[in-house]
Amino acid sequence: MKMSRQIEMRAATTTADPRWAAVQARDARADGQFCYAVRTTGVYCRPSCAARLPRPENVEFFATAAEAAGAGYRPCRRCSPSGQAPSQQQAEMVAGLCRQIALAERPPTLEELARAANLSPFHVHRVFKAVTGTTPRAYARACRAARMKATLNEEETVTGAIYAAGYGSSGRFYEEAGRTLGMSAGSYRAGGARQQIRFAVGECSLGAILVASTERGVCAILIDDDPDVLVRDLQDRFPRADLIGGDADYERVVATVVGFVEAPGLGLDLPLDVRGTAFQMRVWQALQAIPAGETVTYTDIANRIGAPKAVRAVAGACAANRLAVAIPCHRVVRSDGGLSGYRWGVERKRRLLAREAAR
């Protein structure tokens, strides 16, 4: 009876300690602040350890790993509480693989990456995607696309750019060029020469609005107080493109976009020509899934695309968005609910959110 009472008291002491809540939640933010030991196993762990939770009456808390070791406990082999956290080890491993991919003349295979990391291909694929939000293959394509853009501006011929960018065949190059650049490689190299872009400038409650389209769909929706700024922005992006002013048919496209700005509930049923890296595309797809009238945080988006540590990269993808309202980056707010920077001005973001909330 006395022993039972002691067990109950130990359990009550543990559950009343705020550190126990962190252990139950496996909160990685508590790592380094304390560790806990389990009397029945003689092992001490990080708060984030993925091992099965112990019974609270068997738990003992310590401020440091050294204190736990001094009390006779040994470190958990799973979470390595006396060394570098598994999450840090994974981040460093993935960073090394990213460097290997970026510097390779040809994209390394998953098996080659696995040998470099001394892990199985399955484990490398899973960890890489968890840390970066994309797969090794998609990351390699993004690196090669970046080299493609650089070499098209540096090489004398497109053929020279093909091999300088690391492509093994011209067929794969041209296949990816159309998807990545939104035009032929030759047109991109010539600053958009021969690429026809239709555009028109209108007015909405947020100011001047420019809508531009390629044959693939709407490629830009830009907002500013000054219409000339919008036109210069489009010209700077495609200095040698054939910019065609909108006719009556295209004015209807602009009217559709303006109508969507004024009444988001109408939806925007227009094809989009969206161009970006693999990671940016994942972020933008997640943004398009946010219903009008709702907001999410940058952390929410990072979690939704499977890259919980890529919060800053998510913010960067939002800033790179050139399709105002169509890709609703205005629906992303800070973790405290505050309005952070917005490409077209925080005040416009505030008005868009207020309009959507009131619909």
Side-chain angles (χ1 to χ4, degrees):
M1 192 72 178
K2 183 177 181 181
M3 180 62 69
S4 176
R5 179 60 179 165
Q6 289 177 341
I7 291 174
E8 289 178 1
M9 291 179 63
R10 285 207 306 263
T13 300
T14 298
T15 55
D17 193 312
R19 291 175 291 187
W20 176 240
V23 172
Q24 288 181 303
R26 294 184 170 90
D27 190 351
R29 293 172 298 182
D31 288 351
Q33 299 180 20
F34 69 91
C35 60
Y36 71 94
V38 184
R39 295 184 178 92
T40 52
T41 63
V43 169
Y44 69 94
C45 303
R46 297 175 183 275
S48 65
C49 185
R52 187 175 65 179
L53 285 175
R55 296 176 65 87
E57 62 267 23
N58 296 325
V59 171
E60 187 175 2
F61 293 109
F62 294 94
T64 65
E67 289 184 11
Y73 291 100
R74 63 183 185 278
C76 172
R77 293 183 179 180
R78 187 166 188 171
C79 67
S80 302
S82 58
Q84 193 178 44
S87 59
Q88 293 175 315
Q89 296 174 16
Q90 291 179 350
E92 290 186 5
M93 182 268 287
V94 171
L97 295 180
C98 287
R99 287 192 294 270
Q100 179 179 344
I101 293 171
L103 296 174
E105 292 186 3
R106 61 167 182 79
T109 65
L110 184 60
E111 288 70 23
E112 289 171 335
L113 295 174
R115 283 196 295 271
N118 197 28
L119 296 169
S120 70
F122 171 80
H123 191 65
V124 166
H125 188 277
R126 182 176 62 81
V127 173
F128 193 99
K129 187 173 183 180
V131 173
T132 67
T134 190
T135 65
R137 178 179 292 182
Y139 185 82
R141 283 201 303 264
C143 289
R144 194 160 57 176
R147 287 198 298 270
M148 177 202 303
K149 293 181 179 181
T151 54
L152 282 171
N153 291 324
E154 296 170 357
E155 296 292 323
E156 294 184 2
T157 65
V158 172
T159 301
I162 290 175
Y163 298 103
Y167 289 85
S169 69
S170 58
R172 179 57 62 86
F173 175 88
Y174 286 112
E175 176 187 340
E176 293 190 9
R179 181 174 60 251
T180 303
L181 305 177
M183 65 184 77
S184 71
S187 293
Y188 183 88
R189 185 170 180 270
R194 301 185 300 277
Q195 167 85 352
Q196 289 190 343
I197 299 178
R198 304 173 70 83
F199 78 98
V201 178
E203 288 289 331
C204 67
S205 60
L206 300 177
I209 184 169
L210 181 147
V211 182
S213 300
T214 66
E215 61 182 10
R216 296 167 181 261
V218 177
C219 64
I221 300 174
L222 312 175
I223 303 173
D224 196 89
D225 293 328
D226 187 347
D228 291 336
V229 171
L230 301 178
V231 176
R232 285 197 298 272
D233 188 355
L234 188 65
Q235 291 173 330
D236 290 343
R237 189 177 186 193
F238 299 109
R240 298 181 61 188
D242 186 6
L243 301 181
I244 303 172
D247 53 17
D249 287 339
Y250 197 73
E251 293 292 346
R252 284 194 285 272
V253 174
V254 178
T256 299
V257 175
V258 171
F260 177 64
V261 171
E262 306 301 339
L266 295 176
L268 185 63
D269 187 19
L270 290 173
L272 302 179
D273 181 0
V274 184
R275 310 173 190 182
T277 66
F279 182 83
Q280 288 172 336
M281 298 290 278
R282 288 172 61 83
V283 172
W284 296 339
Q285 288 170 1
L287 295 180
Q288 289 177 292
I290 306 170
E294 295 184 14
T295 59
V296 299
T297 67
Y298 294 101
T299 300
D300 291 333
I301 294 296
N303 288 329
R304 290 183 186 186
I305 65 172
K309 300 177 183 177
V311 177
R312 289 187 178 181
V314 167
C318 291
N321 172 33
R322 290 181 177 271
L323 285 157
V325 301
I327 297 178
C329 53
H330 63 277
R331 295 174 189 161
V332 187
V333 298
R334 294 197 308 254
S335 57
D336 62 359
L339 303 186
S340 55
Y342 182 53
R343 184 185 184 95
W344 295 281
V346 173
E347 183 53 36
R348 288 190 177 92
K349 181 172 186 174
R350 191 188 317 278
R351 290 166 65 184
L352 280 168
L353 291 176
R355 183 176 300 162
E356 292 180 356
R359 73 183 179 89

